Amino acid sequence: MDVERRSGKERIPCLDVFLRHAKETLRYALSNGESIQLIIGNESADLDSMASAIALAFFKSHEQYGADHNPALLPSKKDTWIPVLNIPAADIQLRPEFMKVFEISGLSEDVIENHLVTLDDFIPPVSKSVIEWLSPEKTKWILVDQNTFGGKLGLYYQHRVFGVIDHHEDEQVVSQMALPRIIRKSGSCSSLVTIYCKDIWETITRSAISKCKDENTAMSDTDVKMMEGVKGREKSADSNRLEGSNQLNSDSLEFSTDNSRIAHRSDVVVSNQQLAKLLLAAITIDTSNLANKSKTEVADLEAYRYLKGITYQMSASTDGGVRDSFMTEFYEQIAQAKANMSKLNIREILQKDFKQFGGIDSSPIIGISSVGKSWKWLCRQDIALGISRTGNPMTDIALAMKEFAEARNLAIYVVMMNYVSSDTKSDAKKQRALCLCASDPAHAVILEQFEERYGKELKLEKPSLDEFYGELSEVSTARDIPPEDIDLYDEQKRPLRKYFQQKNRDMTRKAVMPMLKKIVSELGHPTPAT
């Protein structure tokens, strides 16, 4: 239902209202052939892509109104930017960290379940194709957390990209004339979005203060401090309070039909906190709460300080131990939720954080799944859930990967493991491992080239059977497999599947994907044998 036409009063948080409005704007445009503006993250749809898309859409939707705009008013449909999650709606449930962040940010269950825009909203009626239903010429897109339009929608709308904010290597696909065009190194794309939106954010906040004064609306001390915190003002030591900081969830707001206004003096205060928590969640996860020095950049530090002040009403003069304590709690809640995959099967875990590239001009499709668990844990997961089809963990994982790759027509499939080992010294607990699979002999050369070119840089080492799979003495077939034969070969002894421990733990998918892209490009798009 269009939030602009609701009757009566309901208690709805600010960001909820905007997300409902964005979803209704998309439905209206599709039904009436109207033009629309959309912001979309990459197809892994992690916290960073989600937070970046929602926050940028919110601020871009208010940007053109200027300082005289009442930020309690919803933007018109033609001015609304729609945030899109680049996954089917069902895949949201594969991301428990989303649910935790939404809970902390105070988003209602109704919005989470019914009003987030996903790929499902772009499935056309049976009688039409995607581009017949939503003509590319009627769309404008901004990319976040990617600079090549990934996923199914990218096949139709890549040429309609008018802006980008991203922290990956620039692939020179988005026009140099795009606005914005921000492709810069940072641990989190949400940091770049925060910095880009600061001016808009502060304009909205100043406007809110002005409107409250004009309407003689009382504001609490907390509201005033929050508003001034957004504008970057330092507060004196005696005025710094952590009022309500033990309650991470935002209070609800009262919704009124008076010009679609959220009838509460703190409407912008709460939306500021909601948005800040979304962005801060992504930054802390991507940088391990700024502890990962190899990922944390100046932009992350700047955005972190800015958002932390909005979220907990803290300035630099607040006791450092108190600040650290609250931010550690914030980070750990989300990190624990993300690490909880106990209810997911192997296929769901492979899907949870998956990206692919290629498939254009007959180029091979290469996919990478990032998994925050060890191979030992993953291969046993279907058995732990009581859904194993084979009773053998080695066969379960091999079958799941084969079916996953075939369903997506992947020429090369890579699974990257990032986990903490309990049997190592404290200075070496974080571990990385990877498995590379070729669909056929024609693409096996990519695996060979990858090991030859980047083996030293990634510090790849061959694992033993026990190292990779753990103690498998209970599996009779495991005893018949010598450690040197873990890899799978074709008739010419070319590897179709290779396993490695990756001792260079700083090299993530963000580094590995460009390596594979370079090999594919230089090899001239090998075509599978028929």
Side-chain angles (χ1 to χ4, degrees):
M1 183 180 294
D2 192 333
V3 296
E4 295 178 52
R5 298 180 180 178
R6 299 177 73 106
S7 60
K9 295 183 177 181
E10 297 181 32
R11 298 184 67 78
I12 304 175
C14 297
L15 192 54
D16 282 36
V17 175
F18 173 75
L19 293 173
R20 290 169 186 255
H21 173 68
K23 180 95 167 208
E24 177 59 29
T25 298
L26 176 62
R27 289 173 174 169
Y28 178 85
L30 291 173
S31 298
N32 296 277
E34 299 288 338
S35 297
I36 49 174
Q37 306 171 117
L38 309 104
I39 298 176
I40 189 168
N42 64 54
E43 70 270 31
S44 75
D46 59 5
L47 273 178
D48 199 19
S49 284
M50 179 272 290
S52 295
I54 290 177
L56 185 59
F58 181 90
F59 289 115
K60 289 290 289 182
S61 296
H62 290 89
E63 179 181 30
Q64 67 277 8
Y65 292 108
D68 294 331
H69 173 56
N70 185 344
L73 296 175
L74 287 169
S76 67
K77 285 185 171 64
K78 70 179 181 64
D79 293 325
T80 298
W81 284 85
I82 301 164
V84 181
L85 300 184
N86 203 349
I87 51 173
D91 283 4
I92 294 176
Q93 300 301 320
L94 304 183
R95 294 157 173 79
E97 65 273 23
F98 275 30
M99 310 312 291
K100 175 56 67 175
V101 172
F102 291 150
E103 174 191 334
I104 290 174
S105 302
L107 286 177
S108 71
E109 290 186 8
D110 178 59
V111 166
I112 297 168
E113 294 174 0
N114 302 307
H115 298 283
L116 295 175
V117 176
T118 68
L119 295 183
D120 293 358
D121 295 294
F122 297 89
I123 298 174
V126 176
S127 60
K128 293 185 178 181
S129 67
V130 172
I131 59 176
E132 287 174 336
W133 196 43
L134 180 59
S135 170
E137 283 63 40
K138 289 186 176 292
T139 68
K140 288 185 177 180
W141 298 81
I142 292 178
L143 306 182
V144 290
D145 204 20
Q146 60 175 336
N147 61 83
T148 297
F149 199 153
K152 296 178 180 178
L153 294 178
L155 299 175
Y156 307 107
Y157 302 108
Q158 173 68 62
H159 66 292
R160 297 298 297 173
V161 172
F162 286 77
V164 59
I165 300 180
D166 185 33
H167 65 138
H168 297 92
E169 180 179 332
D170 190 350
E171 299 186 40
Q172 301 296 328
V173 174
V174 177
S175 168
Q176 296 295 322
M177 302 300 291
L179 289 174
R181 194 184 196 282
I182 301 170
I183 302 177
R184 172 184 168 190
K185 187 177 182 181
S186 65
S188 178
C189 183
S190 292
S191 299
L192 303 181
V193 169
T194 299
I195 294 169
Y196 173 78
C197 291
K198 279 177 67 175
D199 288 346
I200 312 171
W201 206 329
E202 292 167 9
T203 296
I204 290 175
T205 300
R206 284 193 297 269
S207 178
I209 294 175
S210 175
K211 293 298 178 184
C212 285
K213 289 179 179 178
D214 290 347
E215 297 170 11
N216 197 26
T217 302
M219 295 181 69
S220 69
D221 290 343
T222 301
D223 291 350
V224 173
K225 288 176 183 179
M226 181 62 67
M227 295 289 197
E228 293 181 348
V230 173
K231 295 192 292 182
R233 298 178 183 176
E234 281 294 317
K235 297 184 283 289
S236 62
D238 61 354
S239 71
N240 286 308
R241 297 188 299 169
L242 302 180
E243 184 174 328
S245 55
N246 287 325
Q247 180 65 31
L248 291 179
N249 290 329
S250 302
D251 291 334
S252 294
L253 300 179
E254 190 172 4
F255 179 78
S256 169
T257 57
D258 180 16
N259 292 325
S260 301
R261 178 155 184 200
I262 304 166
H264 193 288
R265 63 177 177 266
S266 302
D267 48 7
V268 176
V269 172
V270 174
S271 64
N272 281 346
Q273 287 189 312
Q274 290 180 310
L275 289 160
K277 288 173 182 176
L278 287 178
L279 293 163
L280 199 55
I283 294 170
T284 56
I285 288 297
D286 284 346
T287 65
S288 300
N289 204 20
L290 304 186
N292 189 329
K293 303 305 179 185
S294 67
K295 287 187 177 182
T296 305
E297 302 290 338
V298 173
D300 303 303
L301 297 172
E302 178 183 345
Y304 180 91
R305 286 193 295 265
Y306 183 77
L307 296 168
K308 184 171 64 174
I310 297 172
T311 303
Y312 293 119
Q313 305 153 47
M314 301 176 187
S315 74
S317 57
T318 304
D319 177 71
V322 175
R323 293 200 312 273
D324 291 345
S325 174
F326 280 104
M327 289 312 304
T328 298
E329 178 187 357
F330 178 88
Y331 164 70
E332 287 181 349
Q333 285 190 52
I334 301 164
Q336 289 169 8
K338 183 179 181 182
N340 183 9
M341 292 183 276
S342 59
K343 297 181 180 180
L344 304 182
N345 61 39
I346 294 176
R347 188 208 64 79
E348 290 171 333
I349 293 168
L350 297 176
Q351 176 63 35
K352 182 176 184 290
D353 192 357
F354 171 75
K355 286 184 181 179
Q356 69 179 53
F357 67 89
I360 300 175
D361 297 330
S362 300
S363 64
I365 303 174
I366 296 180
I368 304 180
S369 291
S370 181
V371 177
K373 294 288 185 181
S374 70
W375 198 263
K376 299 177 187 179
W377 182 92
L378 181 62
C379 71
R380 290 170 167 78
Q381 183 59 3
D382 282 3
I383 292 176
L385 293 174
I387 59 172
S388 171
R389 287 180 286 171
T390 70
N392 183 324
M394 295 176 68
T395 309
D396 280 346
I397 185 67
L399 184 61
M401 289 178 59
K402 179 177 183 292
E403 292 175 347
F404 187 91
E406 288 178 348
R408 291 156 183 79
N409 196 30
L410 302 181
I412 298 292
Y413 181 40
V414 182
V415 180
M416 300 188 68
M417 304 286 176
N418 178 26
Y419 60 98
V420 176
S421 175
S422 59
D423 55 359
T424 55
K425 301 296 182 182
S426 59
D427 62 344
K429 283 186 176 179
K430 291 186 177 180
Q431 303 290 322
R432 286 191 178 276
L434 55 82
C435 174
L436 301 97
C437 306
S439 61
D440 53 62
H443 292 103
V445 64
I446 297 176
L447 271 58
E448 294 177 325
Q449 288 290 310
F450 181 82
E451 182 179 8
E452 180 181 325
R453 295 191 193 186
Y454 301 111
K456 289 185 178 179
E457 183 177 355
L458 293 171
K459 298 180 180 178
L460 300 180
E461 296 182 3
K462 295 295 297 179
S464 68
L465 182 65
D466 285 342
E467 281 181 312
F468 222 67
Y469 283 101
E471 181 55 54
L472 290 174
S473 59
E474 73 277 10
V475 182
S476 60
T477 56
R479 292 194 296 270
D480 301 325
I481 305 176
E484 63 271 17
D485 286 343
I486 297 176
D487 295 339
L488 177 67
Y489 295 86
D490 66 6
E491 294 81 356
Q492 287 77 42
K493 291 295 182 181
R494 289 181 296 189
L496 294 177
R497 184 167 68 232
K498 297 183 75 66
Y499 301 87
F500 298 100
Q501 291 293 141
Q502 181 187 318
K503 299 301 182 180
N504 185 342
R505 303 180 188 101
D506 293 333
M507 303 295 276
T508 65
R509 177 172 58 190
K510 189 175 174 182
V512 170
M513 185 169 278
M515 295 175 178
L516 290 166
K517 287 183 177 180
K518 185 175 182 181
I519 293 172
V520 170
S521 175
E522 292 178 358
L523 290 177
H525 305 161
T527 303
T530 57

